[in-house]
Structures are given as structure tokens and as C-alpha cells.
């Protein structure tokens, strides 16, 4: 999968392919899916007849050359609209071709009923079959590990080279066909039949073959169809009015007027905007099951977040060194560092890192040896050549060692360890053990650390009116501490798996849209209930089937990026709709006054563009109408730049930039085209 979400939407091959596909889309069976552009195509067919038979609908003052010019511009309009959609689809097809290369035919070691194995082609596998996959072999089909443990290379799917550990049972038992086993062996039960695999679904989705229109897109399409019908009625009623005024309007001009006034700009780009939104999510290595899911993410009001792995790293890390009475903080830090020099656990490395960030450094003296951690002693450290030992470990384990030497942990230090434990942290006591006298020198405070940058991102979500709720099994005191540090709006402590679905339903009952992430089987009901459920690719099959999005990178915080993409999709559609409607307002002033000013001098003040003639007015308006489409394609594909802000500010910004811009652009563009047409001798 491509990881670069910002790469250029255009390549020479993509443009060439899209240019050809744009002509293939002239098929009326394809065009009828877009009512606005279908009306344009129907009008183009009528004008084509007038090119061949200018007097087909009665005597007309329009020349064959004029009819052909209108026809050519209308064809260009349709082609540009089709090109926009073809470019958006083309990027998905390019991804699909890359995925097809991943989906190769492999041999599978099918486990028979008697326990023996038989080599068969992966295409012969069906649901329920059991296969054994050993180190160096490709997993032949999607499934669940029912036996064994292995490191699996999923780079063909995720783009990440780091192997993932998968094992039977638990929340990391799902495997994907096309990935490769690096170590050990696994026994997999096939869970997907032919054509139903994860890769098959990805190929179909990125190609756009199963792109369903979202409710908002359907509503906007219906609105555009109604507006088109209204303008069609207006154009039809314009015929008797113009005759009454003594103005002869030919059919080609009426068709051009209709095309210029209906919302062709947004009608041409609407499908491309939706496809591009789905494509942007895919480029973030998130598989969205439909365009509905992407758009729903833009309407999210509440996010339900697990604490461990989402808000925090899930690993205990050193946060502070607390010295015992009579010991300086610098000395306690140095001794903590020495006790952890040989500790290769994440906790040990975090102690060393924190000490060095505090400006303390130390090397193991000559002759020193490590004291390894064991389940029995529950401590680790360093033994010096003179027989002295420096250890760190659980309170009771270190207390036992000190008691053996006739010492004990001071009461004040015990109270500090109890305070750390009540706050949800883990205290490790540091002690010096020597024949001349042992003593406790301090405490290391380990805690689950909040991920960097989350507080700022939650603040952005709050600015958009999105509520964040942290769900954790920790006690209320620990939960409150983490919630405050992370900057979430609310939290639920001591939560059970079923509490998640209860919280989601409560939020939805108040009219809010809810998003959540999960990876376990017990998350599946809540993922299904949420409006946007993001499952981890490393999670169980039940979680992935319940969700409407799957994160291939297994990053729970990806939900924040998905919401931003959904918002960008809605903003882009709204901005270009505003621009398109504003365009129509400007085109009224371009065409109608120029056409009727001769018969109705009262309209002359409205002809503020001072266009050369009715002919150049019509041609300039529809040519601008065609050319604005390719100019807006990059915006439709990349999306309008997204900034976290409230709905009111966003509306004002859209009206100012795209509303005012949509009105001004046609005045400048149509006048410039009119000047060029006049210079070419067209009157």
C-alpha cells in the first residue's frame, strides 16, 4: 500500500488513461447516473442534430458554424466532467493493480482429517479448511490462527516492514492471505471463500466498483436534479416570452442557456469529490468499507477512545525519581541509572532515558555484573566487584532483601510508594545491599505515558465541537489523572467491555454521531453500533467484520486523521457547491441582459460586463462553464485545505472565499473570453 498521502494526483499514464475513459463514459447508461450531466448530454445531442439540419425545429437565424461551436463546447464540458471522475477512479485502479500483484496463486499445506497434510492450490481452499504454514511460506488465505505462534511480514498489505507477532487465541489471531510467515509455524482455519478475501475486498473498494453514495451525496444529487428541472421549465417558458418581446431565440442558444444556468460545475465534480475522499482514506492505510463510512466520519460528534494503546502507549515508563530522606535527587537519579544499565526491558530503557534527559550519565564500573530479573526475586540490578549490590524492584521484594541485611524501607518512602500505587502508577524501590549496611535510596515512579501531541489534537477536536470520552478499566483516580493529562472531555473508569456499547447508545440517543476504535472480539458489538467503527488489522476477524473501517497500520489514534479526512470531504463538497451556485448568479448577468437588452432597453444597466453581442455572450458563458471544471479538478481531488474550526467560522470562510470567488471569477473569465472572441471576429 502506498504510504504517501500527499503525492501528486496526476501522472502522465494516469492522465492518458483518464482521457480515454472520459470518452467511454459518454455512454448514456453511465451518464444517467448523474442527472445534471445527463441533461447536458441530451442537450448536446439536440445541438448535434442542428449542426446537421439547422432548420430541424423551424427557420432559425443561427448558422451551422454557431451551432457547431455550441456543440463543441458542450462536448468539452461533458468530457471535462467525465475526466474528473476518471482521474479519481484511475488512482484507485492503479492501487488495485498493485494489490493484484500481491494476490498471487500459492500452494497450501491442507491439513486432512487424519492429521496428515496435502499440498493444494490456494484457489481450491474454502471456508472451514485448515492449513499449516511454516517459516518462509506465504499464508494462502484469510483466516484465524488456531494453533501456534509466528512473526508475520504484513508489508505487502500495510507497507510496514516490521514483523507482527500473531498467535492462537486473544485479539491478535487474524491473518491475511498474501502475507508471509517469517519464523516458527501456525495452523490457520480459513475464514474467507474465493472472491471474499481481504485483498478481494480492497481491490473492489479502491477501484470504486462498490462505492455507494452517501446519504448527503444522494440528497445533494437530488437537489441538483430538482434545480436542473426548474431551470429546464424556466427555459421552456422563456420561448413564448421571447416571442412576445419579438426576440427569436434559436434552439442551440436555449440549450446553451440551460447548460450555463444549471449547476454543471458541482454536477461535474460531485462524483470525483466522493471517490477522492475514499482514496485519501486509503492512502492513509485505512480501508473504508464504503463512501458512507468516510462521510459519516466527517459528521462525528463524539469519539470513544480506549486508554491503553490509544491515549497511552500501554508500556510503563519512568516519569520521576523520588529520593529517600538524606539522599539528593541527583544521587537517586544516578543510582537508578546504574541499576538499569543492564536492564533491556522497556521499563529499564525508560529509566536510563529519563536519567540522561536529567543530565545524569554513568557507566558500569570494571568487574560489574548484571543481576537479571526473575519471577522469584522480582528485582534486577547490578553487582559490583567489591560485593556490593544495587537493585530495584517491587516494594515487597526489595523489603525482603533489606530485611536480610538488617535494614528496612523508611516509613516516609513507603507512604510515597502507596501514593504512586493509588494514582495507578507502579513504584520500584532502589536499594543498596552491602555487608557494611544496606539502605533504600529512593523510588522510581513508572506510569503509562500519554502519547505526545494528543492533547493538542483533542483541543482541535474540541474546537470543532467534537467530544472525546476515554474508557478504561483503571480506578477512578488513575483515570482522572490520565484524562486530565491527555485533555479528554470525559472518562469512564472501571469500565467493562459491555459498557462501551452502553455509552455509544446513550450518546446516539441524544442525537450524536459516535466513532470508536477496537481490536478484540469483545469490541465487535460496540464497533457495529458506532456510526464509525475503526478496527485494527491485527485484531480479530469478528472486530474487522463488525467495523466499517480497518486500519492497516494498527494505530488506534488513526481515527483522528480519519475524522479530519471526513471533515475535509464535507468541506470540499460544500465549498465547490457554494462556488457553483455563485457562478450561476454571475452568469445570469452575463447572458440574460446581453440577450434581451436590444428588445428591453431597461435591462441595459444590468449588462455590466458590456459583452460584445448576444452571440459572444452565450459562447463566452458556456466556454467559461466548461473551462472552470478542469481548473477545479485539483481542488476536488486534493480537497479544500482543512483547518479545525467551528461550523459558524467555517460557513463564513466558505461564503467569503468560495461564494465571493464564485461570483467574481465568471465576471473576469467571461469578459476575457468575450474579448478574445471579438478579436477573432466573432459577432
Amino acid at each position: 500500500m502506498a504510504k504517501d498521502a500527499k503525492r501528486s494526483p496526476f501522472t502522465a499514464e494516469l492522465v492518458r488513461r483518464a482521457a480515454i475513459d472520459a470518452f467511454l463514459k459518454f455512454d448514456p447508461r453511465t451518464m444517467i447516473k448523474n442527472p445534471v450531466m445527463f441533461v447536458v448530454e441530451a442537450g448536446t445531442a439536440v445541438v448535434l442534430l442542428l449542426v446537421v439540419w439547422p432548420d430541424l425545429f423551424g427557420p432559425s437565424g443561427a448558422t451551422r458554424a454557431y451551432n457547431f461551436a455550441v456543440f463543441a463546447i458542450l462536448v468539452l464540458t461533458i468530457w471535462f466532467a467525465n475526466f474528473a471522475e476518471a482521474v479519481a477512479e484511475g488512482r484507485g485502479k492503479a492501487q488495485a493493480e498493485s494489490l493484484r500483484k500481491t494476490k498471487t496463486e500459492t500452494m497450501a499445506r491442507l491439513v486432512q482429517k487424519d492429521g496428515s497434510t496435502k499440498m493444494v492450490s490456494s484457489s481450491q481452499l474454502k471456508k472451514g479448511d485448515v492449513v499449516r504454514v511454516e517459516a518462509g511460506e506465504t499464508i494462502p488465505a484469510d483466516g484465524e490462527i488456531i494453533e501456534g505462534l509466528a512473526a508475520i511480514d504484513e508489508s505487502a498489505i500495510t507497507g510496514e516492514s516490521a514483523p507482527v507477532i500473531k498467535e492462537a487465541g486473544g485479539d491478535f489471531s487474524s491473518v491475511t492471505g498474501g502475507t508471509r510467515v517469517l519464523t516458527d509455524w501456525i495452523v490457520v482455519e480459513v475464514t474467507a471463500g474465493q472472491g471474499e478475501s481481504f485483498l478481494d475486498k480492497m481491490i473492489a473498494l479502491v477501484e470504486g466498483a462498490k462505492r455507494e453514495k452517501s446519504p448527503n451525496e444522494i440528497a445533494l444529487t437530488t437537489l441538483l436534479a430538482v434545480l436542473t428541472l426548474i431551470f429546464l421549465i424556466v427555459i421552456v417558458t422563456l420561448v413564448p416570452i421571447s416571442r412576445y418581446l419579438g426576440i427569436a431565440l434559436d434552439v442551440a442558444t436555449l440549450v446553451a442557456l440551460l447548460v450555463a444556468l444549471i449547476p454543471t460545475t458541482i454536477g461535474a465534480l460531485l462524483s470525483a469529490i466522493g471517490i477522492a475522499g475514499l482514496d485519501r482514506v486509503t492512502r492513509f492505510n485505512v480501508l473504508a468499507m464504503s463512501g458512507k463510512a468516510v462521510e459519516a466520519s466527517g459528521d462525528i460528534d463524539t469519539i470513544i477512545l480506549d486508554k491503553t494503546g490509544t491515549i497511552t502507549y500501554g508500556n510503563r515508563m519512568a516519569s520521576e525519581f523520588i529520593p529517600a530522606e538524606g539522599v539528593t535527587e541527583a544521587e537517586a537519579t544516578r543510582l537508578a541509572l546504574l541499576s538499569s544499565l543492564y536492564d533491556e526491558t522497556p521499563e529499564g530503557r525508560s529509566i536510563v532515558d529519563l536519567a540522561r534527559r536529567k543530565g545524569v550519565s554513568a557507566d558500569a564500573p570494571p568487574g560489574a555484573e548484571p543481576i537479571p530479573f526473575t519471577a522469584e526475586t522480582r528485582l534486577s540490578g547490578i553487582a559490583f566487584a567489591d560485593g556490593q549490590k544495587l537493585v530495584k524492584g517491587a516494594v515487597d521484594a526489595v523489603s525482603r532483601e533489606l530485611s536480610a541485611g538488617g535494614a528496612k524501607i523508611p516509613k516516609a518512602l513507603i507512604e510515597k510508594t502507596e501514593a504512586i500505587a493509588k494514582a495507578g502508577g507502579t513504584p520500584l524501590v532502589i536499594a543498596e545491599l552491602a555487608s557494611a549496611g544496606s539502605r533504600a535510596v529512593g523510588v522510581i515512579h513508572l506510569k503509562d505515558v500519554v502519547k505526545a501531541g494528543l492533547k493538542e489534537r483533542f483541543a482541535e477536536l474540541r474546537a470543532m465541537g467534537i467530544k472525546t470520552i476515554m474508557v478504561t478499566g483503571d480506578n477512578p483516580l488513575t483515570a482522572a489523572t490520565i484524562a486530565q493529562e491527555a485533555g479528554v472531555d470525559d472518562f469512564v473508569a472501571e469500565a467493562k467491555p459491555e459498557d462501551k456499547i452502553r455509552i455509544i447508545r446513550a450518546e446516539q440517543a441524544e442525537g450524536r454521531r459516535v466513532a470508536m476504535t477496537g481490536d478484540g472480539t469483545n469490541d465487535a458489538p460496540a464497533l457495529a453500533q458506532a456510526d464509525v467503527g475503526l478496527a485494527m488489522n491485527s485484531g480479530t476477524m469478528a472486530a474487522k467484520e463488525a467495523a466499517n473501517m480497518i486500519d492497516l497500520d494498527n494505530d488506534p489514534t488513526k481515527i483522528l486523521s480519519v475524522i479530519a479526512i471526513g471533515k475535509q470531504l464535507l468541506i470540499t463538497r460544500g465549498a465547490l457547491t457554494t462556488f457553483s451556485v455563485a457562478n450561476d448568479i454571475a452568469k445570469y448577468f452575463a447572458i440574460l441582459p446581453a440577450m434581451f437588452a436590444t428588445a428591453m432597453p431597461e435591462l441595459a444597466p444590468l449588462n455590466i460586463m458590456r459583452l460584445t453581442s448576444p452571440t459572444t455572450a452565450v459562447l463566452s458563458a458556456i466556454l467559461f462553464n466548461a473551462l472552470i471544471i478542469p481548473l477545479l479538478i485539483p481542488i476536488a481531488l486534493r480537497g479544500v485545505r482543512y483547518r479545525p474550526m467551528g461550523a459558524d467560522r467555517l460557513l463564513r470562510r466558505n461564503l467569503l472565499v468560495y461564494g465571493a470567488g464564485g461570483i467574481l471569477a465568471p465576471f473576469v473569465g467571461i469578459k476575457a473570453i468575450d474579448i478574445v472572441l471579438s478579436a477573432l471576429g466573432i459577432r
Side-chain angles (χ1 to χ4, degrees):
M1 291 287 295
K3 296 284 288 181
D4 185 1
K6 296 183 179 180
R7 70 184 184 186
S8 172
F10 300 103
T11 63
E13 175 59 25
L14 178 60
V15 170
R16 184 193 66 79
R17 184 171 175 175
I20 297 172
D21 289 344
F23 283 110
L24 300 178
K25 288 179 177 290
F26 272 72
D27 186 339
R29 292 170 297 183
T30 301
M31 294 297 297
I32 201 169
K33 296 175 184 177
N34 187 334
V36 176
M37 299 313 300
F38 180 74
V39 169
V40 176
E41 186 172 56
T44 305
V46 171
V47 177
L48 176 60
L49 293 175
L50 292 173
V51 172
V52 181
W53 301 290
D55 297 327
L56 177 64
F57 299 105
S60 171
T63 64
R64 182 178 273 108
Y66 173 77
N67 290 342
F68 180 78
V70 173
F71 167 74
I73 295 172
L74 295 184
V75 168
L76 196 63
T77 303
I78 300 170
W79 185 84
F80 281 143
N82 291 344
F83 179 75
E85 184 176 24
V87 168
E89 291 176 346
R91 294 202 292 176
K93 290 177 180 177
Q95 292 181 59
E97 289 175 0
S98 175
L99 289 170
R100 283 196 179 93
K101 293 177 182 178
T102 301
K103 188 175 181 294
T104 58
E105 186 77 8
T106 60
M107 297 303 291
R109 191 178 283 102
L110 179 64
V111 178
Q112 307 291 305
K113 291 182 179 180
D114 60 2
S116 62
T117 59
K118 175 185 176 183
M119 299 302 293
V120 299
S121 170
S122 59
S123 61
Q124 296 176 347
L125 296 176
K126 57 185 182 297
K127 286 184 182 179
D129 283 346
V130 175
V131 296
R132 180 184 173 96
V133 190
E134 298 185 353
E137 295 179 349
T138 299
I139 297 174
D142 293 2
E144 291 276 354
I145 300 175
I146 58 176
E147 186 180 348
L149 175 149
I152 297 176
D153 176 10
E154 295 188 328
S155 59
I157 305 296
T158 66
E160 294 289 349
S161 57
V164 180
I165 304 298
K166 297 286 184 81
E167 62 182 322
D171 294 339
F172 298 93
S173 59
S174 172
V175 293
T176 305
T179 57
R180 194 163 59 90
V181 174
L182 297 178
T183 64
D184 303 295
W185 56 269
I186 51 175
V187 176
V188 178
E189 181 179 350
V190 177
T191 57
Q194 294 301 313
E196 300 174 352
S197 71
F198 187 69
L199 278 175
D200 289 323
K201 291 177 182 177
M202 287 185 68
I203 291 168
L205 286 165
V206 299
E207 279 186 321
K210 295 184 179 179
R211 194 185 81 87
E212 298 178 31
K213 289 185 177 181
S214 64
N216 285 349
E217 188 175 348
I218 293 171
L220 184 55
T221 301
T222 303
L223 175 62
L224 296 179
V226 170
L227 288 175
T228 300
L229 180 61
I230 291 172
F231 281 117
L232 182 59
I233 295 172
V234 169
I235 296 300
V236 171
T237 57
L238 197 61
V239 175
I241 294 174
S242 63
R243 286 178 179 172
Y244 175 78
L245 295 174
I247 302 174
L249 294 178
D250 58 272
V251 175
T253 298
L254 291 171
V255 171
L257 184 59
L258 173 64
V259 171
L261 298 186
I262 63 177
T264 50
T265 305
I266 185 61
L269 298 173
L270 187 58
S271 180
I273 293 170
I275 295 171
L278 189 60
D279 178 68
R280 280 195 295 277
V281 169
T282 304
R283 289 177 190 277
F284 270 86
N285 263 16
V286 174
L287 176 61
M289 298 307 176
S290 70
K292 291 181 182 179
V294 178
E295 187 167 305
S297 66
D299 285 329
I300 290 302
D301 302 300
T302 303
I303 308 178
I304 309 295
L305 298 159
D306 275 327
K307 187 206 78 172
T308 306
T310 302
I311 292 176
T312 64
Y313 286 101
N315 293 324
R316 298 174 305 165
M317 301 178 72
S319 62
E320 63 176 328
F321 303 120
I322 303 171
E325 187 175 352
V327 180
T328 65
E329 184 177 349
E331 179 66 5
T333 302
R334 186 183 71 83
L335 294 174
L337 172 60
L338 280 171
S339 70
S340 304
L341 286 176
Y342 294 110
D343 189 347
E344 292 301 320
T345 65
E347 293 87 350
R349 288 196 296 271
S350 74
I351 293 170
V352 174
D353 290 342
L354 179 61
R356 287 175 175 167
R357 287 202 304 272
K358 288 179 174 291
V360 176
S361 61
D363 295 319
E369 294 182 355
I371 300 174
F373 176 87
T374 67
E376 287 184 21
T377 62
R378 290 191 297 147
L379 50 78
S380 63
I382 185 171
F384 301 106
D386 60 3
Q388 182 180 347
K389 296 179 181 179
L390 185 62
V391 298
K392 68 176 189 304
V395 177
D396 59 337
V398 174
S399 178
R400 185 180 62 248
E401 293 294 323
L402 288 171
S403 297
K408 64 179 182 178
I409 301 174
K411 184 179 179 182
L413 205 59
I414 290 289
E415 290 175 352
K416 290 176 181 177
T417 64
E418 290 173 349
I420 291 171
K422 286 179 181 177
T426 301
L428 295 181
V429 178
I430 316 163
E432 291 179 328
L433 305 178
S435 57
S438 301
R439 64 167 182 158
V441 295
V443 175
I444 302 169
H445 182 182
L446 298 179
K447 70 174 185 177
D448 202 355
V449 179
V450 173
K451 292 182 178 179
L454 273 188
K455 192 166 188 175
E456 292 74 15
R457 299 194 72 175
F458 289 150
E460 291 178 359
L461 293 173
R462 194 175 298 109
M464 295 184 289
I466 297 175
K467 178 182 178 183
T468 51
I469 301 176
M470 181 185 78
V471 180
T472 176
D474 289 337
N475 64 70
L477 182 60
T478 302
T481 302
I482 295 293
Q484 182 177 8
E485 190 175 342
V488 295
D489 297 308
D490 199 0
F491 67 90
V492 177
E494 298 177 342
K496 300 178 181 65
E498 56 268 23
D499 289 332
K500 293 179 183 178
I501 194 167
R502 176 184 57 79
I503 297 166
I504 292 172
R505 286 173 175 167
E507 291 290 317
Q508 290 173 332
E510 296 181 11
R512 298 188 181 97
R513 287 178 175 265
V514 183
M516 76 158 285
T517 62
D519 57 11
T521 299
N522 58 6
D523 290 328
L527 288 168
Q529 180 68 35
D531 298 283
V532 174
L534 178 66
M536 303 299 103
N537 188 44
S538 61
T540 63
M541 195 62 68
K544 291 194 283 188
E545 289 178 351
N548 49 22
M549 289 189 181
I550 298 173
D551 176 25
L552 304 180
D553 294 333
N554 305 310
D555 177 7
T557 60
K558 189 75 70 70
I559 189 70
L560 305 179
S561 298
V562 170
I563 288 174
I565 293 172
K567 291 282 185 189
Q568 186 183 40
L569 169 62
L570 296 178
I571 292 168
T572 302
R573 185 182 297 152
L576 294 184
T577 299
T578 302
F579 186 89
S580 180
V581 173
N583 259 222
D584 292 340
I585 296 173
K587 284 181 282 190
Y588 299 155
F589 287 94
I591 300 178
L592 295 178
M595 292 176 60
F596 292 98
T598 304
M600 299 179 65
E602 296 85 356
L603 293 178
L606 295 178
N607 188 18
I608 57 179
M609 291 190 192
R610 296 294 184 264
L611 301 179
T612 305
S613 68
T615 297
T616 60
V618 171
L619 293 179
S620 298
I622 61 172
L623 187 55
F624 173 83
N625 195 59
L627 295 177
I628 198 65
I629 295 172
L631 293 178
L632 293 176
I633 288 177
I635 296 178
L637 297 183
R638 289 195 179 98
V640 173
R641 186 179 177 184
Y642 167 72
R643 295 186 183 92
M645 63 179 69
D648 292 341
R649 286 184 60 199
L650 186 61
L651 178 60
R652 287 196 298 270
R653 177 172 171 266
N654 271 356
L655 290 176
L656 179 63
V657 177
Y658 293 94
I663 291 175
L664 294 175
F667 279 97
V668 176
I670 291 173
K671 181 61 179 179
I673 295 172
D674 179 77
I675 293 173
V676 173
L677 293 179
S678 298
L680 294 174
I682 299 174
R683 293 290 186 271

